[in-house]
């Protein structure tokens, strides 16, 4: 459907352009602008935050589709950026943790990234802001203004500077008369208390014009009362945490005004009407249960896409379950370039798909839709491997190394002090629960959105509506076994793909044990048989476990 639509669109455009341009398919499709926040969350008017003022991002949302079920595949900076730029989860592209300094993670040399692929198709590519992925040759933009050749605050937070660089890049793209991908990777609203404490915990004073803070001429900071911030359920209700959120909001005002300036530059360069604009963030906000976690505050992301194509939905919300892994296929679809299956093998994950069709029509709703996540490191010492699958209703997390405490980032503030000194802790968990997690966590997100009641082990072998996903998994396998194919919908296909992979190790064991007779029944049927003979919850869990470890 996406291809049909873009072909029709291309045909119409083709009447108006010259032969030389016609020879290059990319040139007919317009441009892409990706605006990525760093640790940004739902502190946006477009996502119903009533306190934090974000008029520019809200205006973008009015011109596009706001996704309510968008998830990152990994809740850490470099891994999520590498996943975004390659369409593959971190355990497949090799970026298991942070790229910079001593952490030193890199993607595999064989992985193809969006900028490299687009350059090869005559699309001009540019990055302004935080890059934090490597190796350099694997993520090569034609125009690079990043922390590698600048101060990160200048290219990532100084919105006047970002505006001028954007102007420079767009002028170059216009001179070259080529379509472009511009990836603006803001460093806001990332914390900065650990690197530049003089600017405040979220760098909210950097460039504010106060004494010693320097000036960002285009920024009009907005200040908030700590008593009045909108406190998410997963953050402790303490003055220290609320003051942090107030500072985060001020930094978001800089991000939001930066988005406004960049969109203004796009318009001035004559590209407001031929550019797909995507706004999102790399991972959850830097608070407990957020960044580095597989809980929803760590995985859920804002995602706003505005398309200039005439049939595109405007000022609408989508409830489609989507992954940030879908960004690369979306951009490639926009430029009419096929996904590089040979180098970025995603055939088994079934998660990466173009979102362009959703910009025209809401896809059919299915309870089977699912997204997947995998986490290994954040900083190099923060090893805590997790795998997760989230359907609309359920979330299953496998904590592979559950015996050790969860490694905390710089986000626990007064939780430690209050716990140590036995002061009251107005939080939805205890520190002990946060540190020590069970091997399996299964949540009914609809009944328990805060993910506090672990259902794993509670419904074993009993018939209950809680078992619906397991029954569905069984049905999918049965359908596949019956030769009906599994081309149905997102999760049905995904679960079938998982089942197929479960089948392989089982098949090997079956062959060893039972010789020729088992050999005939090996592969898929053996997976189906194992599912049919076990309690559904167990089967569902095993299915996900074996396929995602
Ligand atoms: C890119 O442009 C060059 C020169 O205009 C042309 O020879 C080449 O075929 C184009 N490549 C693609 C992939 O379109
Ligand atoms: C931000 O960038 C502008 C333009 O390059 C510069 O004049 C200004 O001093 C910078 N502000 C800070 C705080 O570095
Ligand atoms: C926690 O306690 C340490 C040591 O007493 C102190 O330095 C720090 O400021 C406290 N932090 C908070 C957020 O209360």
């Amino acid at each position: 459907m996406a291809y049909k639509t873009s072909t029709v669109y291309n045909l119409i455009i083709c009447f108006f352009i010259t032969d030389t341009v016609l020879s290059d398919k990319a040139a007919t499709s317009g441009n892409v602008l990706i605006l990525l926040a760093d640790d940004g969350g739902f502190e946006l008017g477009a996502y119903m935050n009533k306190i934090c003022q974000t008029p520019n991002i809200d205006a973008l949302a009015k011109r596009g589709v706001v996704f309510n079920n968008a998830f990152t595949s990994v809740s850490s900076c470099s891994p999520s950026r590498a996943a975004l730029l390659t369409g593959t989860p971190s355990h497949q592209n090799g970026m298991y943790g942070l790229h910079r300094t001593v952490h030193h993670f890199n993607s595999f040399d064989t992985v193809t990234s969006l900028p490299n692929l687009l350059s090869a198709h005559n699309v001009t590519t540019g990055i302004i802001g935080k890059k934090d992925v490597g190796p350099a040759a694997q993520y090569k933009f034609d125009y690079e203004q990043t922390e590698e050749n600048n101060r990160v605050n200048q290219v990532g937070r100084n919105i006047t500077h970002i505006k001028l660089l954007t102007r420079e890049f767009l002028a170059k793209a216009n001179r070259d008369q080529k379509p472009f991908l511009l990836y603006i990777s803001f460093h806001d609203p990332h914390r900065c208390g650990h690197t530049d404490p003089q600017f405040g915990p979220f760098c909210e004073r950097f460039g504010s014009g106060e004494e010693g803070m320097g000036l960002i001429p285009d920024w009009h900071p907005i200040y908030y009362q700590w008593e009045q911030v909108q406190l998410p359920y997963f953050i402790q209700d303490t003055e220290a945490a609320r003051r942090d959120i107030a500072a985060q909001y001020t930094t978001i005002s800089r991000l939001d005004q930066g988005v406004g300036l960049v969109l203004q530059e796009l318009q001035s360069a004559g590209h407001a009407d031929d550019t797909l604009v995507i706004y999102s963030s790399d991972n959850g906000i830097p608070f407990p249960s957020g960044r580095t976690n597989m809980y929803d505050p760590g995985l859920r992301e804002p995602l706003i896409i505005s398309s200039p194509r005439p049939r595109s939905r405007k000022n609408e919300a989508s409830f489609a379950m989507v992954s940030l892994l879908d960004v690369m296929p979306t951009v490639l679809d926009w430029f009419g370039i096929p996904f590089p299956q040979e180098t970025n093998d995603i055939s088994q994950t079934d998660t990466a798909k173009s979102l362009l069709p959703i910009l025209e029509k809401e896809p059919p709703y299915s309870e089977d839709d699912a997204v997947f996540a995998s986490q290994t490191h954040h900083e190099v010492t923060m090893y805590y491997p997790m795998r997760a699958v989230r359907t609309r209703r359920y979330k299953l997390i496998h904590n592979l190394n559950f015996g050790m405490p969860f490694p905390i980032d710089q986000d626990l503030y007064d939780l430690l002090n209050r716990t140590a000194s036995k002061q009251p802790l107005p939080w939805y968990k205890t520190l002990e629960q946060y540190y020590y997690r069970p091997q399996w966590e299964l949540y009914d997100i609809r009944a328990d959105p805060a993910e506090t009641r672990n259902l794993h082990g509670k419904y074993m072998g009993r018939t209950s509506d809680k078992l619906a996903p397991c029954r569905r998994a069984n049905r999918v396998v049965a359908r596949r076994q019956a030769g009906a194919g599994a081309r149905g919908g997102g999760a049905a296909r995904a679960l079938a793909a998982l089942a197929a992979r479960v089948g392989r190790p089982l098949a090997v064991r079956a062959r060893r044990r039972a010789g020729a007779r088992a050999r005939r029944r090996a592969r898929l049927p053996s997976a189906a048989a194992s599912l049919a003979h076990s309690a559904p919850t167990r089967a569902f869990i095993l299915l996900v476990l074996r396929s995602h470890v």
Side-chain angles (χ1 to χ4, degrees):
M1 174 141 167
Y3 284 100
K4 257 193 217 142
T5 316
S6 56
T7 313
V8 171
Y9 190 76
N10 288 346
L11 278 177
I12 294 168
I13 301 278
C14 285
F15 287 116
F16 303 100
I17 55 182
T18 65
D19 284 347
T20 34
V21 183
L22 267 178
S23 66
D24 184 0
K25 193 167 184 222
T28 63
S29 300
N31 318 295
V32 176
L33 171 66
I34 298 177
L35 303 161
L36 194 72
D38 197 357
D39 295 354
F42 296 93
E43 306 74 26
L44 306 168
Y47 281 100
M48 301 303 184
N49 187 307
K50 298 272 188 288
I51 308 293
C52 193
Q53 304 295 301
T54 52
N56 296 287
I57 296 172
D58 300 350
L60 176 68
K62 288 214 172 72
R63 297 194 296 274
V65 176
V66 174
F67 288 81
N68 276 321
N69 288 310
F71 299 84
T72 181
S73 67
V74 52
S75 190
S76 173
C77 176
S78 306
S80 73
R81 285 154 202 264
L84 183 96
L85 293 173
T86 63
T88 57
S90 62
H91 65 264
Q92 270 177 276
N93 71 57
M95 188 75 75
Y96 304 114
L98 299 182
H99 171 66
R100 62 183 166 275
T101 63
V102 294
H103 313 298
H104 201 62
F105 287 98
N106 284 279
S107 286
F108 300 130
D109 298 340
T110 48
V111 167
T112 302
S113 76
L114 190 55
N116 292 41
L117 194 60
L118 292 183
S119 294
H121 284 83
N122 289 337
V123 176
T124 296
T125 59
I127 176 172
I128 297 170
K130 179 169 163 181
K131 189 174 185 193
D132 212 8
V133 290
Q138 247 53 47
Y139 296 95
K140 180 92 198 71
F141 291 81
D142 303 323
Y143 176 93
E144 300 200 351
Q145 297 286 352
T146 71
E147 75 278 13
E148 291 171 0
N149 52 358
N150 296 270
R151 298 290 298 271
V152 69
N153 280 350
Q154 288 306 321
V155 288
R157 302 194 199 254
N158 183 344
I159 57 176
T160 297
H161 199 62
I162 293 170
K163 172 188 84 175
L164 297 174
L165 294 175
T166 302
R167 190 174 294 172
E168 181 177 80
F169 172 82
L170 293 174
K172 174 180 144 44
N174 279 350
R175 267 198 314 277
D176 296 350
Q177 294 194 302
K178 280 181 165 187
F180 62 82
L181 164 74
L182 178 56
Y183 170 67
I184 301 204
S185 178
F186 293 94
H187 193 22
D188 284 331
H190 195 283
R191 284 183 184 279
C192 87
H194 55 303
T195 50
D196 302 284
Q198 71 277 21
F199 295 133
F202 280 84
C203 263
E204 70 278 8
R205 302 179 70 190
F206 170 68
S208 65
E210 295 164 87
E211 171 113 34
M213 296 298 143
L215 183 69
I216 298 174
D218 288 291
W219 182 33
H220 309 287
I222 305 176
Y223 297 101
Y224 297 86
Q225 302 292 323
W226 63 266
E227 300 94 329
Q228 286 170 2
V229 298
Q230 200 168 305
L231 189 82
Y233 67 85
F234 52 92
I235 301 179
Q236 68 274 26
D237 193 356
T238 63
E239 181 178 331
R242 284 174 168 273
R243 283 192 184 279
D244 249 3
I245 296 172
Q248 180 207 29
Y249 283 6
T250 297
T251 300
I252 288 171
S253 75
R254 190 166 56 212
L255 165 72
D256 177 70
Q257 290 167 36
V259 166
L261 292 171
V262 169
L263 292 175
Q264 183 59 51
E265 289 303 314
L266 191 69
Q267 179 154 28
S268 306
H271 292 298
D273 297 328
D274 61 6
T275 304
L276 182 75
V277 182
I278 302 175
Y279 172 88
S280 191
S281 176
D282 56 347
N283 48 245
I285 64 176
F287 287 87
S289 293
R291 186 175 70 184
T292 74
N293 281 275
M294 300 269 102
Y295 302 124
D296 268 15
L299 291 184
R300 238 193 155 109
E301 297 305 331
L303 177 65
I304 298 167
I305 308 185
S306 165
S307 164
R309 289 181 181 169
R311 290 176 53 194
S312 297
R313 300 160 71 191
K314 307 267 182 267
N315 200 17
E316 285 187 28
S318 171
F319 293 85
M321 294 282 287
V322 304
S323 168
L324 296 193
L325 293 173
D326 300 333
V327 169
M328 178 164 173
T330 302
V331 174
L332 292 180
D333 187 13
W334 179 263
F335 287 116
I337 300 168
F339 192 89
Q341 292 288 354
E342 335 69 59
T343 52
N344 301 13
D345 172 25
I346 51 145
S347 53
Q348 298 284 356
T349 66
D350 191 36
T351 45
K353 57 189 180 296
S354 170
L355 303 177
L356 293 187
I358 302 178
L359 301 184
E360 297 189 353
K361 189 168 180 291
E362 183 73 356
Y365 177 96
S366 165
E367 286 282 334
D368 283 347
D369 293 339
V371 292
F372 301 93
S374 76
Q375 181 97 13
T376 307
H377 287 269
H378 178 58
E379 296 186 356
V380 68
T381 53
M382 293 172 63
Y383 174 64
Y384 198 83
M386 296 176 278
R387 303 291 183 263
V389 53
R390 190 193 188 290
T391 63
R392 288 182 186 274
R393 179 159 182 188
Y394 294 96
K395 158 104 53 81
L396 178 74
I397 302 171
H398 183 207
N399 298 309
L400 281 88
N401 215 353
F402 61 99
M404 67 184 192
F406 185 79
I408 61 163
D409 209 4
Q410 334 118 4
D411 54 13
L412 288 195
Y413 330 114
D414 54 351
L415 290 182
L416 298 174
N417 286 9
R418 282 173 179 262
T419 303
S421 61
K422 300 201 163 40
Q423 282 174 270
L425 183 59
W427 194 34
Y428 79 134
K429 287 183 180 175
T430 65
L431 203 53
E432 177 155 6
Q433 287 167 338
Y434 193 71
Y435 272 130
Y436 292 99
R437 304 180 178 189
Q439 184 176 13
W440 294 100
E441 298 177 70
L442 176 65
Y443 299 108
D444 180 344
I445 306 265
R446 205 166 286 156
D448 173 29
E451 299 165 275
T452 55
R453 293 192 296 278
N454 186 3
L455 300 178
H456 175 248
K458 301 226 166 85
Y459 296 92
M460 285 284 201
R462 263 197 265 156
T463 308
S464 146
D465 192 42
K466 300 276 190 290
L467 302 179
C470 320
R471 283 199 298 274
R472 260 198 301 281
N474 286 343
R475 274 204 304 277
V476 168
V477 175
R479 260 212 308 275
R480 200 182 164 106
Q481 195 181 5
R487 298 268 152 233
R493 245 189 353 260
L495 285 170
L498 297 184
R501 296 167 78 194
V502 173
R504 256 174 263 137
L506 286 179
V508 171
R509 245 176 289 145
R511 272 200 295 275
R512 284 201 195 116
R513 271 203 306 267
R517 202 167 146 225
R519 199 169 298 138
R520 260 179 280 126
R521 284 192 277 117
R523 280 186 281 272
L524 274 178
S526 66
S530 99
L531 288 174
H533 292 148
S534 40
T537 300
R538 207 173 119 72
F540 178 63
I541 287 165
L542 284 178
L543 180 72
V544 177
L545 163 67
R546 296 221 179 102
S547 329
H548 274 259
V549 171

